[in-house]
Amino acid sequence: MATSIEEKPDFKWIGKSIRRVEDPRYLVGRGGYIGDIKLPGMLYTAVLRSPFAHARIGSIDTGEALEVPGVVAVFTGQDCKEKMNPCANFGPPTITQYPLAVDKVRYCGEAVVAVVAESRYAAEDGVEAVEVDFEPLDPVVDPIAAIGPGAPVLHEEHGNNLAYERIFEFGEVDDAFREADVVVEDKLHWGRSSGMPLDTCGAVARPALNGSLEVYCNSLNFNFFIWLVAAALKLPSNKFTVIPVPAGGSFGSKFFAHKVPTLAGFLALQTGRPVAYIEDRLDHITNSDHHGSDRYYDVRMGLKSDGTITALDVDVVDDYGAYLQFGVGTHGNSLSQAVGPYRLKNLRYRLRAALTNKCQQGAYRGFGSEVQNWVLERMVDKAARQLGMGPEEIRRHNFIQPDEFPYKIPTGNIYDSGNYPAVLQRAIEMLDLDKWRTEQERARKEGRHIGIGVVTTQERSVFSSTEFWFWFDKPAFPLTSSPESVTLTIDPTGEFQVQMHSQAMWGNSPETVAAMLVAEEFGVDPYKVNVSYADSAHSLPGTGPGGSRFTVMIAGAVRGASKRLRAKLFKIAAHELEASEDDLEIVEGVVRVKGVPDKSRSLAELASTAYFFALNLPEGVESGLEESCTYDHPYTTLPSDDRKDLGVFYPFMGHACHIAVIEIDAETGTHKFLDYVAVHDAGTVVNPKTLAGHVTGGAAQGIGSAMYEELVYDEDGQFKCSTFMDYLIPTAMEVPEFKLGHVETPSPYTEFGIKGGGEGGRMVAPAAISAAIDDALSDYGVRITQLPIKPSEILRQIETGTQS
Amino acid sequence: MAGDMRSITLTINGRQLSRDVETRLTLADFLRDHLDLTGVHLGCEHGVCGCCTVLLDGRSVRSCLMFAVQADGHEIETVEGLSTDIDKLHPIQEAFSEEHALQCGFCTPAMILRTKELITNDGELSREEIREQLSGILCRCTGYQNIVNAVVSAREKMHDPQVAGR
Ligand code: FES
Ligand code: FES
């Protein structure tokens, strides 16, 4: 069972807000991003993109472009089709894609022609000079119409626009609804937004020795799947090396974003020279395969008259866009915490994945589970209002209690530990809820509209790969691995090297975490630990950041490697000190005999022996001090054959309560934050300051998805927001000051009890904001049912008294 | 037009230099590609994100919206002008690290330069005013709170006679 805070072991580094070890290079302008990489003889790429949502590609005239000074070569989808295999694909095999469109374009902005030139300026000139004949086809924009009869088909080979459909049923859903005293229903729409990091995806590919290809890239995690990219390029997997490059943000959007390195690799192979393909903002917004969930819900919730939630029926159509690279994994994510923190037993979940003429979906912070959080909280709020219960009252009434863990939810997933009432209570106290309720009343008398939104949501962490395939009865590749590795070296002078084995630096703090954990294990200074990243030719299996997994997984790997390294150190030290290994301890970088502190050896002394004095080593011990560990997901199980139980796939369950206080101007529909409290439980916290950064940064993105950001396509499928003038990322003016709190219920299943918290505030903020706006305008019967929330919609509801 | 060249002379991080540049070369590309000042970041190249901010005669400008030839005769400062020595950071750089005001670091040079401009020119600002003054630069990671903290703390450091003047 979870250790309580009182029993928490005494850590030296874990739990301290130390400055990040990553920072210095960024502060002096030496971040080493993909755009900073310049290789001798390197060429640059610019891409011609489709102006149409849906069209057949006719003739392409590249003659004039090839005349442009500096242009070296021009490639089309036909070249790709002839010389490579389709791109890596985790979706249906009938929906294939190439880095440049073949025969048909399926969304506005899809890549059609790549021009490679001596400079980016020349490459752009070349794009200007390319002529393409498009024969426009009828666009498919509305996802509901797309899967209805008579819609034009995107992928002839697939046959229709329904990429996937399934109904999961857990418990006795119909009975529960029959026996319910109250049933609330709603139609909800979560609009399309995306991670939109300020640094785009990019890759620099270089033909290397003996027919191999090296690719510097900021968007390939899952190094044990990089062979899929090699396969697309028709290269043997051992002739394709990826060198991970840190990125200026991902938020999911770079999660195995494979088309950019695939294109760069293709162009390098074709030209025989190093080629950079780095998206510009237009490339990224329109075409980066990273748009977030775009879901249309019909939802019903059944309750008893005392407020006990008994059943949930979710019917969702998700507009996946033109391709389906990750299948429907984002709904696997929803199912990991589908019932939230509530003791809800009966669940039906129907998914239809629609294909439309839009950019395909990728990952965005939450990977679809943040949407389920919003939907569930919207329904709980609606039920509370109908039953005349307060938002905190209905939640408390339904919470899974601290003594019920580990708790198995109807889908089969396990929640490891938690204390939901404590999190809620902490948030209420930090906000001073009573004070705000009084203030709200007072303001109401003055004709002002203040609303308080209280929500409590889950924050699952550390995915298991089963969520990508339990959707299928006969999955083609029922993967169960999602490991993370580390190599720990004490060098000949006693200094620590940590090598990570995946693309890990996207703005999170993997080096700080690894350095702190090594410091914890060996009692050394974390700032003296050097951290680096292995290229894929030298790497052990690594999955990289995603689904708030990295801290938990790297902690497991560091612990494992530390144990092995310590064992070797102790063997050598025991031999030198003529002591038993069992009597040794390591304190502040010194191995000593317990109770006899002057019988000791420093790490530098032991390293010297290990590297230089083989004859002094004990029998059977090899020279050197390096150990690795590959840490597998510590708790995952297979789904049952009938899929009545999806198994354990996301068990380290964080939790959060956000309370937003918002004032709405009923004349203009605009809002102002008056207060905002966020309390999270991510188990044992390694570095409170970096975790807090994920909460505030995630909440800012949640505010974006809730109120500003929308990737808009018009009825012709034209993309209406290809710049930052149209896609509105919140600035410092739109994001309020947050008051942050933390409750720690360590996980019983992970090293140190850590749970992931990287997706932070985005898991929660949209629900809190929606609830606050409803509350502010309850006199008008306003109810938020679609995101992003626009002032015009608020005014429409105020004026007409109807919800959308 | 492609190919048109002009000679320019300007001061960059305290050093005067002359170069022949294509007239259509942006100031950002000039700084990054010709002078290896990689602290100038390109987040949008259309004047919104502010990541390419540099100081031109002490005032922030978006170097993606200027041509290099327009900087002829001017003084430019990039983040490299504060310090490139990780063991001897400028107080503003220190403040950003202490307050955890950077995650991916992509907006950071711009935020640091803007902070320098604010501290130099704008006196005491409230947190609200700092937010307003920073709102021309996007940060996708931090949610801004720690950046505001860093500006406040940098101002205190710079007004401390021990560290001021660096
Ligand atoms: S790159 Fe200049 S404002 Fe975005
Ligand atoms: S730290 Fe990543 S954009 Fe600001």
Side-chain angles (χ1 to χ4, degrees), chain A residues 440-559:
Chain A
Q440 180 181 33
E441 267 321 297
R442 203 185 57 75
R444 180 167 280 146
K445 292 194 188 104
E446 293 171 7
R448 288 167 53 211
H449 306 285
I450 292 176
I452 303 166
V454 183
V455 298
T456 51
T457 75
Q458 301 302 75
E459 191 177 356
R460 84 288 169 274
S461 69
V462 194
F463 65 84
S464 148
S465 344
T466 56
E467 66 167 337
F468 290 97
W469 56 259
F470 58 49
W471 293 92
F472 304 94
D473 288 321
K474 292 190 173 40
F477 193 66
L479 168 77
T480 54
S481 301
S482 51
E484 203 61 52
S485 305
V486 88
T487 301
L488 221 54
T489 309
I490 299 176
D491 79 4
T493 71
E495 302 296 339
F496 275 86
Q497 283 279 5
V498 178
Q499 190 156 50
M500 313 237 225
H501 292 270
S502 55
Q503 167 61 276
M505 182 54 190
W506 280 338
N508 42 332
S509 312
E511 297 164 32
T512 302
V513 168
M516 287 177 77
L517 294 168
V518 170
E520 191 70 52
E521 295 280 0
F522 293 93
V524 293
D525 177 353
Y527 295 105
K528 290 199 167 156
V529 175
N530 193 57
V531 185
S532 63
Y533 301 89
D535 67 42
S536 66
H538 300 95
S539 60
L540 299 166
T543 308
S548 296
R549 68 184 291 288
F550 201 76
T551 300
V552 169
M553 296 301 289
I554 203 73
V558 168
R559 175 136 265 203

Side-chain angles (χ1 to χ4, degrees), chain A residues 684-702:
Chain A
T684 302
V685 179
V686 178
N687 185 321
K689 213 158 191 170
T690 60
L691 180 66
H694 288 301
V695 174
T696 56
Q701 291 183 322

Side-chain angles (χ1 to χ4, degrees), chain B residues 41-45 47-50 52 62 64:
Chain B
H41 295 157
L42 291 170
C44 70
E45 298 174 285
V48 182
C49 74
C52 62
R62 290 166 194 249
C64 74

Side-chain angles (χ1 to χ4, degrees), chain A residues 332-353:
Chain A
N333 233 283
S334 294
L335 289 169
S336 70
Q337 52 183 40
V339 298
Y342 312 119
R343 270 205 223 95
L344 155 57
K345 295 268 183 266
N346 306 293
L347 170 72
R348 184 184 295 124
Y349 196 96
R350 177 188 191 203
L351 163 67
R352 283 170 291 168

Side-chain angles (χ1 to χ4, degrees), chain A residues 477-803:
Chain A
F477 193 66
L479 168 77
T480 54
S481 301
S482 51
E484 203 61 52
S485 305
V486 88
T487 301
L488 221 54
T489 309
I490 299 176
D491 79 4
T493 71
E495 302 296 339
F496 275 86
Q497 283 279 5
V498 178
Q499 190 156 50
M500 313 237 225
H501 292 270
S502 55
Q503 167 61 276
M505 182 54 190
W506 280 338
N508 42 332
S509 312
E511 297 164 32
T512 302
V513 168
M516 287 177 77
L517 294 168
V518 170
E520 191 70 52
E521 295 280 0
F522 293 93
V524 293
D525 177 353
Y527 295 105
K528 290 199 167 156
V529 175
N530 193 57
V531 185
S532 63
Y533 301 89
D535 67 42
S536 66
H538 300 95
S539 60
L540 299 166
T543 308
S548 296
R549 68 184 291 288
F550 201 76
T551 300
V552 169
M553 296 301 289
I554 203 73
V558 168
R559 175 136 265 203
S562 299
K563 270 190 196 140
R564 290 172 192 167
L565 196 55
R566 206 173 17 237
K568 184 163 183 181
L569 281 170
F570 282 11
K571 252 197 197 116
I572 299 171
H575 190 63
E576 293 211 336
L577 296 168
E578 293 174 356
S580 146
E581 287 162 46
D582 298 337
D583 291 338
L584 297 179
E585 60 180 359
I586 187 161
V587 179
E588 306 206 350
V590 173
V591 179
R592 64 185 195 193
V593 179
K594 286 178 202 157
V596 196
D598 50 344
K599 258 191 119 181
S600 69
R601 286 285 184 279
S602 71
L603 290 181
E605 288 168 326
L606 293 169
S608 172
T609 305
Y611 284 90
F612 303 121
F613 300 99
L615 295 183
N616 295 358
L617 290 173
E619 188 72 31
V621 172
E622 292 166 5
S623 288
L625 279 175
E626 175 170 299
E627 295 291 344
S628 294
C629 172
T630 296
Y631 183 70
D632 281 302
H633 195 296
Y635 186 16
T636 167
T637 63
L638 283 172
S640 65
D641 287 340
D642 63 3
R643 300 295 191 267
K644 282 280 175 199
D645 182 330
L646 302 176
V648 179
F649 61 103
Y650 236 137
F652 315 128
M653 193 53 64
H655 179 74
C657 173
H658 283 205
I659 311 183
V661 184
I662 295 180
E663 179 163 0
I664 303 288
D665 180 336
E667 300 282 306
T668 61
T670 54
H671 71 273
K672 194 170 145 200
F673 283 97
L674 302 181
D675 210 343
Y676 199 115
V677 166
V679 179
H680 284 241
D681 176 357
T684 302
V685 179
V686 178
N687 185 321
K689 213 158 191 170
T690 60
L691 180 66
H694 288 301
V695 174
T696 56
Q701 291 183 322
I703 289 168
S705 294
M707 294 198 274
Y708 300 101
E709 297 177 33
E710 188 178 22
L711 295 156
V712 184
Y713 291 84
D714 72 9
E715 59 280 8
D716 299 321
Q718 277 300 316
F719 190 52
K720 304 307 279 183
C721 57
S722 46
T723 73
F724 280 159
M725 248 94 78
D726 318 294
Y727 188 80
L728 302 176
I729 289 178
T731 75
M733 292 298 285
E734 282 80 50
V735 180
E737 300 273 333
F738 300 101
K739 294 183 184 136
L740 306 178
H742 211 90
V743 169
E744 282 190 22
T745 53
S747 173
Y749 306 122
T750 66
E751 296 294 351
F752 306 106
I754 302 166
K755 300 177 186 177
E759 284 151 296
R762 189 164 184 271
M763 305 294 286
V764 204
I769 291 163
S770 303
I773 294 175
D774 282 4
D775 187 44
L777 300 172
S778 58
D779 292 351
Y780 300 99
V782 166
R783 175 164 161 82
I784 299 303
T785 56
Q786 52 184 332
L787 301 185
I789 306 157
K790 294 178 192 144
S792 57
E793 170 62 14
I794 292 177
L795 286 183
R796 198 193 59 75
Q797 287 199 28
I798 290 175
E799 277 155 22
T800 63
T802 58
Q803 295 156 15

Side-chain angles (χ1 to χ4, degrees), chain A residues 198 248-249 251, chain B residues 101-108 138-142 147:
Chain A
L198 294 182
F251 320 108
Chain B
L102 63 153
Q103 290 180 26
C104 79
F106 207 73
C107 69
T108 309
L138 299 176
C139 174
R140 193 55 164 161
C141 297
T142 63
I147 298 181

